[in-house]
Amino acid sequence: MAPIVPPANVSASALSVVIAIMAFLACLTLGAVSMVSDTASSWQSQISREITIQIKPEDGLDMQTALERARDTALSIAGASTASIVGDTETARLLEPWLGENADLDELPVPRLVIVTIDENNPPDFAAMRARLAETVPEAFLDDHRTWVDRLVAMARTTVIIGLFVLSLVFTATVLTVIFATRGALTGNRHIVEVLHFVGAEAPFVARQFQNHFLLIGIKGAVAGGIAAALTFAAANIWTGFAAATPESDQATALFGAFRIGFRGYFGILAIIAVIGLLTALTTRLTVIRTIREIDVVRSDPSRME
């Protein structure tokens, strides 16, 4: 017996490609949201463990002495674990994306930094540390990064919301595409469906034939899109490895991490493949059953035929 819906044709191939593109975009969105969220959590954890003392250069100021004095002052406060001075090489590396290579820091009014690691379980009294620094190093400014933590949390939440919105748009477009494809297949095989239904084939049986057909198309397209997304993340991870220690790689790594989505990311890709397959099957089934009911209405009242 031949299947009600042809197993392969031009429209089926086009639908599979469209679903593959939708799955690819959905997986990219999920992976990007996951990486940004993980990176923001890492930033938040690192910032909560460190504070920064910034010393602005002034005429007559011995910068090295001021840095050492600020470091010693910070360590004298209970709750400060370690303190280290950011050297000339590290400072130039931080400013390389803006000032370029071989920048002469002595000729520029570049602030110098002291990084202080704090005890998260017993944080220091920041007000007392600021007051002590004002006495020993008036040019020093203490930044506990609370403003940045709040901004990172807000950014992470906004990124997640935007990602969920994009995912909802992709899934909506997939559902609409399947509806149009199913109706097109029903239009091309409407006489067969009417004959089968007339001789006793129930709506669930006919719907199952279309459902299985489009489920296979949806799974094939979703798997292709998921594999393409996984390969894209793998290629980006390899690129960051080869382009390490360059300003471009540093900026990309700072925002997205090492482009590794991890087990949770790959599980999310599998979940998207399953969701797209489920949406394809469910949408097809509901569309076919609704169409058959319209056929029954027209048969009972021919005046409603358009």
Side-chain angles (χ1 to χ4, degrees), residues 1-9 185 188-189 191-193 196 205-206 208-210 212-213:
M1 295 178 60
I4 298 177
V5 186
N9 52 35
N189 301 274
H191 59 289
I192 299 177
V193 174
L196 288 174
F205 169 78
V206 179
R208 188 163 54 250
Q209 305 303 311
F210 282 86
N212 294 338
H213 172 75

Side-chain angles (χ1 to χ4, degrees), residues 12-199:
S13 300
L15 177 61
S16 181
V17 171
V18 171
I19 292 179
I21 295 174
M22 298 296 182
F24 177 74
L25 295 177
C27 292
L28 281 187
T29 302
L30 180 65
V33 168
S34 176
M35 289 190 299
V36 171
S37 178
D38 291 344
T39 304
S41 299
S42 176
W43 285 351
Q44 184 177 353
S45 177
Q46 292 175 1
I47 289 176
S48 63
R49 295 195 304 264
E50 295 180 346
I51 57 177
T52 304
I53 300 175
Q54 180 183 142
I55 300 179
K56 299 179 180 180
E58 294 184 1
D59 295 337
L61 176 66
D62 186 346
M63 180 60 72
Q64 187 61 33
T65 302
L67 289 170
E68 294 175 356
R69 193 179 302 163
R71 179 192 60 191
D72 297 338
T73 301
L75 290 176
S76 66
I77 303 296
S81 302
T82 62
S84 59
I85 299 173
V86 180
D88 293 341
T89 303
E90 292 81 0
T91 303
R93 177 70 182 281
L94 292 173
L95 298 175
E96 184 177 334
W98 295 273
L99 301 182
E101 299 180 357
N102 303 321
D104 189 358
L105 300 182
D106 294 333
E107 300 296 330
L108 298 173
V110 177
R112 299 295 300 278
L113 302 176
V114 176
I115 306 299
V116 182
T117 303
I118 64 176
D119 185 358
E120 296 181 70
N121 299 323
N122 184 28
D125 186 348
F126 296 122
M129 186 178 292
R130 285 191 177 92
R132 188 80 60 84
L133 284 171
E135 296 175 359
T136 57
V137 188
E139 298 83 5
F141 171 75
L142 177 65
D143 186 2
D144 58 7
H145 309 303
R146 293 181 182 177
T147 302
W148 292 106
V149 171
D150 295 338
R151 290 182 179 179
L152 284 175
V153 172
M155 183 199 71
R157 292 176 179 174
T158 303
T159 302
V160 171
I161 293 174
I162 293 175
L164 292 176
F165 178 70
V166 173
L167 282 177
S168 65
L169 290 179
V170 171
F171 288 144
T172 301
T174 302
V175 169
L176 293 176
T177 302
V178 173
I179 290 176
F180 292 141
T182 305
R183 286 191 172 275
L186 282 173
T187 301
N189 301 274
R190 187 181 184 89
H191 59 289
I192 299 177
V193 174
E194 290 180 347
V195 171
L196 288 174
H197 190 49
F198 179 75
V199 299

Side-chain angles (χ1 to χ4, degrees), residues 211-231:
Q211 172 184 309
N212 294 338
H213 172 75
F214 284 99
L215 174 62
L216 183 60
I217 294 176
I219 291 296
K220 287 182 178 179
V223 168
I227 292 176
L231 292 177

